[in-house]
Amino acid sequence: MSGVTPLLEVTNLKKYFPIKRGVISRTVSHVRAVDGVSFSVNEGEVLGLVGESGCGKTTTGRCVLRLIEPTEGSIKFAGEEITGLPFGRMRDLRRQMQIIFQDPYSSLNPRLSVRTMLTEVLKVHGIAKGQQAQARVAELLELVGLSSSQAARYPHEFSGGQRQRIGIARALALNPRLIIADEPVSALDVSIQAQIVNLLRDLQREMSLTYLFIAHDLSVVEHISNRVAVMYLGRIVELADSMTVYHDPRHPYTVSLLSAIPIPDPVARKKRIILTGDVPNPSKPPSGCHFHPRCFMAQPVCSVEEPPLREVLPGHHSACHFAEDVPAKIPAGLQSAAPKTI
């Protein structure tokens, strides 16, 4: 897609949270939740953002929407720099940028009926009111697989999967161009996860939506994403199209994540790569490559020099000094164990 301006373009995004101590709350250090992340998402594309809990995925998504303010970096939406926009202009842009939260219960107001919470969105942004708003609510509920007759109910009267459908309806109410899906299925049962992912995929195709899909479940991400970015300790360590990441990974961390995916076969066995140690403290990250203390391919240079996110193959980026040697280190049968589409 050369020459096409990305719908979302993030450059060197950083978010540091201060650590304060003492009577006067003096800042003694910072938690580097997001530490120099760069990526772009084209119109109509789904970019999956994956990694362990605490790697900075959710913080990245919320910085993109400026729900939390980034410490440093550039965020462009439809070619417009949004990091310094005033409140009024940012509020207008949020009609085009919406989010689906992880917890489908805490993200819904328990005191409001479904009809009230959806019409409130329409009224606040001046989209519709009265009978027009009621008709739009009915349309949204039908769109996400619910009945318009359920509009008078409250969140506690729905199952987890139904509540997430309501959250999706709310995100779609303003006809956005970009949706940040922040682990939208991680709080749901496996059978319900498949339904919600299929719904999101169908909506994306029918409405030409653009997703930044955040998750820690690699099988879910493969099912819905065009490209995948793998994060570790606040940085993107691998970025490529979905098929390539799952079948030709070029970073040891990605290989380790893939080895942990269970095979839906009680007889089959595959070799696991067990990472040593714990995830490093993000307030005191290791020097050089952040992953080197746990890496099965680590060399002396890894603890000294920070590897840049470089293009090792056309369209395939990896932040590893030895990305070209990764395929030789992959356990036999790991590629064939990659998850199949749902």
Side-chain angles (χ1 to χ4, degrees), residues 159-197:
S159 67
Q162 289 175 322
R163 284 195 289 262
Q164 194 59 289
R165 290 175 186 268
I166 295 168
I168 295 170
R170 182 175 58 183
L172 294 174
L174 301 177
N175 293 316
R177 298 173 66 185
L178 172 69
I179 291 180
I180 309 292
D182 182 15
E183 303 210 36
V185 298
S186 63
L188 306 176
D189 293 338
V190 174
S191 60
I192 306 301
Q193 286 183 11
Q195 295 177 23
I196 298 300
V197 170

Side-chain angles (χ1 to χ4, degrees), residues 9-191:
E9 190 171 8
V10 176
T11 306
N12 197 33
L13 180 66
K14 296 181 180 180
K15 179 58 183 179
Y16 296 171
F17 294 98
I19 299 175
K20 298 181 181 293
R21 290 178 184 165
V23 177
I24 60 174
S25 296
R26 181 170 59 92
T27 299
V28 297
S29 185
H30 290 85
V31 174
R32 301 181 180 186
V34 180
D35 194 15
V37 165
S38 299
F39 61 87
S40 62
V41 189
N42 293 309
E43 187 97 42
E45 183 184 30
V46 181
L47 175 66
L49 191 60
V50 301
E52 293 174 285
S53 296
C55 73
K57 308 183 300 297
T58 293
T59 303
T60 298
R62 297 193 178 203
C63 282
V64 166
L65 295 177
R66 282 186 60 194
L67 296 179
I68 54 177
E69 293 295 333
T71 303
E72 186 180 316
S74 169
I75 304 170
K76 291 183 179 179
F77 179 76
E80 180 178 5
E81 179 65 50
I82 70 171
T83 51
L85 288 183
F87 175 79
R89 175 57 182 152
M90 195 63 219
R91 180 178 179 179
D92 292 339
L93 269 184
R94 286 205 176 104
R95 289 178 56 175
Q96 304 179 53
M97 308 164 67
Q98 291 292 302
I99 185 170
I100 301 170
F101 293 98
Q102 176 178 353
D103 188 342
Y105 189 73
S106 64
S107 63
L108 302 178
N109 190 330
R111 297 186 177 186
L112 299 182
S113 67
V114 172
R115 178 181 289 111
T116 302
M117 70 177 70
L118 292 180
T119 53
E120 182 181 45
V121 174
L122 300 173
K123 290 177 182 177
V124 166
H125 289 274
I127 303 297
K129 58 182 179 180
Q131 291 299 319
Q132 188 178 7
Q134 302 296 325
R136 177 59 175 161
V137 168
E139 178 186 355
L140 287 169
L141 292 177
E142 297 289 345
L143 190 63
V144 298
L146 297 174
S147 170
S148 57
S149 63
Q150 296 174 299
R153 296 183 182 179
Y154 290 80
H156 72 272
E157 299 180 84
F158 294 91
S159 67
Q162 289 175 322
R163 284 195 289 262
Q164 194 59 289
R165 290 175 186 268
I166 295 168
I168 295 170
R170 182 175 58 183
L172 294 174
L174 301 177
N175 293 316
R177 298 173 66 185
L178 172 69
I179 291 180
I180 309 292
D182 182 15
E183 303 210 36
V185 298
S186 63
L188 306 176
D189 293 338
V190 174
S191 60

Side-chain angles (χ1 to χ4, degrees), residues 1 13 22 28 66 70 162 182 199 210 216 229 234 245 248 276 330-331 337:
M1 301 186 72
L13 180 66
V28 297
R66 282 186 60 194
Q162 289 175 322
D182 182 15
L199 171 64
T210 303
H216 62 264
V245 166
D248 187 20
T276 59
I330 298 178

